[in-house]
Amino acid sequence: MDDLPHRLDEQVDLPLALGHAREAIRAFGAAPLPPDDLARAEGGDADDSAPDSLEAAGVKAKAHRLGLLKAVALSEPESWLHARLRTLATAAADARQRGERPRKLVVFAHHERVMDLLEKTIGERLADAATPASGGGDGESAPWHGVRIDGSHSGVAKNALLDAFRDNDSCLAALLSIKACGTGVDGLQHTADHAVFVELPETYALAHQAAARLHRSGQTQRVLLTWLLACGPPRRGRLLAGAGG
């Protein structure tokens, strides 16, 4: 471990607002809530024992709700994730012009619905980024894109997607399930030096193992680990009650 490059951990506060709660209900609720029920779900006078549209859709755990709110916030055009992806694409374009391989980004999350929204955000942002002409004389390169790997992928499919992320210079981001890819995955350290945790691992051991996918033997760059922590009103009913994690 003494021979590894430096590892830097940073905390980024992700502000949550009532608009994110409304969008989460619209996008993931079992059915639209009437205005009175929406106000009750978001307001400080909500009854925590009362069912709501997200609970009816299977979003019951506080961590799941918080992950959805974070994913909604990150989907906004001026969000931290949008800015990071713009920087990522610009750096990749510069690297290609110099004839170098780009450094890439790993995004860790857990819940399926959270990953669905993150996948959409990452895909759209990278596709919108300008793709430079290839230095190899073969015209325009493939558009920037990413891959997603979660528990639904077989071992063969998982390895193929990991290979695509490592070997395809147009593939700039990997959205990985913490549980499916937080352990037993090698090779990310050769192409990525920045990991973002949208949802926090359940235990310190799992967090340590996930971080070690990048901060391990073979890494040549300083590793940056970004932990996105929700912040917002200390108590705004059920949907915002978990802000701060």
Side-chain angles (χ1 to χ4, degrees), residues 198-220:
V198 177
E199 295 186 278
L200 304 185
E202 296 175 350
T203 66
Y204 172 80
L206 189 55
H208 176 75
Q209 287 293 327
R213 297 315 94 205
L214 273 65
H215 195 238
R216 63 192 295 112
S217 178
Q219 178 63 260
T220 61

Side-chain angles (χ1 to χ4, degrees), residues 11 19 41 44 49 59 102 137 217 243:
Q11 171 185 323
S49 65
V59 184
S217 178

Side-chain angles (χ1 to χ4, degrees), residues 112-184:
E112 181 179 357
R113 289 182 176 94
V114 177
M115 294 188 71
D116 288 343
L117 186 49
L118 290 173
E119 181 181 24
K120 182 174 184 291
T121 299
I122 293 170
E124 290 178 351
R125 179 62 258 172
L126 290 179
D128 287 343
T131 305
S134 167
D138 55 354
E140 291 294 315
S141 302
W144 305 127
H145 62 280
V147 296
R148 168 181 173 168
I149 306 173
D150 56 38
S152 69
H153 293 99
S154 66
V156 173
K158 177 179 175 180
N159 289 334
L161 289 169
L162 288 170
D163 288 345
F165 177 63
R166 288 190 294 257
D167 300 336
N168 186 338
D169 287 351
S170 296
C171 184
L172 299 184
L175 174 60
L176 305 181
S177 163
I178 295 171
K179 290 191 173 180
C181 299
T183 60

Side-chain angles (χ1 to χ4, degrees), residues 6-241:
H6 182 62
R7 165 182 156 176
L8 175 64
D9 290 69
E10 68 170 2
Q11 171 185 323
V12 173
D13 291 335
L14 185 63
L16 301 181
L18 294 181
H20 301 137
R22 294 188 182 98
E23 184 59 32
I25 289 175
R26 292 190 184 100
F28 301 103
L33 285 181
D36 289 346
D37 288 346
L38 179 59
R40 179 170 57 82
E42 296 173 348
D45 297 330
D47 176 5
D48 282 3
S49 65
D52 61 27
S53 183
L54 286 177
E55 183 173 309
V59 184
K60 299 179 180 180
K62 181 181 292 186
H64 196 176
R65 290 167 176 264
L66 187 57
L68 287 180
L69 292 175
K70 288 181 177 180
V72 169
L74 291 171
S75 70
E76 295 179 335
E78 299 305 317
S79 71
W80 181 93
L81 182 58
H82 275 243
R84 180 65 185 92
L85 292 171
R86 285 194 297 269
T87 302
L88 184 73
T90 298
D94 290 344
R96 183 172 287 167
Q97 293 292 342
R98 298 191 302 268
E100 300 173 357
R101 301 201 64 191
R103 300 300 292 180
K104 304 183 181 184
L105 175 70
V106 172
V107 180
F108 281 111
H110 170 50
H111 292 95
E112 181 179 357
R113 289 182 176 94
V114 177
M115 294 188 71
D116 288 343
L117 186 49
L118 290 173
E119 181 181 24
K120 182 174 184 291
T121 299
I122 293 170
E124 290 178 351
R125 179 62 258 172
L126 290 179
D128 287 343
T131 305
S134 167
D138 55 354
E140 291 294 315
S141 302
W144 305 127
H145 62 280
V147 296
R148 168 181 173 168
I149 306 173
D150 56 38
S152 69
H153 293 99
S154 66
V156 173
K158 177 179 175 180
N159 289 334
L161 289 169
L162 288 170
D163 288 345
F165 177 63
R166 288 190 294 257
D167 300 336
N168 186 338
D169 287 351
S170 296
C171 184
L172 299 184
L175 174 60
L176 305 181
S177 163
I178 295 171
K179 290 191 173 180
C181 299
T183 60
V185 170
D186 191 29
L188 297 178
Q189 72 273 24
H190 298 304
T191 192
D193 51 30
H194 186 190
V196 182
F197 291 83
V198 177
E199 295 186 278
L200 304 185
E202 296 175 350
T203 66
Y204 172 80
L206 189 55
H208 176 75
Q209 287 293 327
R213 297 315 94 205
L214 273 65
H215 195 238
R216 63 192 295 112
S217 178
Q219 178 63 260
T220 61
Q221 306 294 321
R222 184 193 70 170
V223 172
L224 175 61
L225 302 178
T226 301
W227 307 86
L228 296 182
L229 300 183
C231 63
R235 175 64 178 173
R236 294 294 296 180
R238 302 183 69 186
L239 290 180
L240 293 183

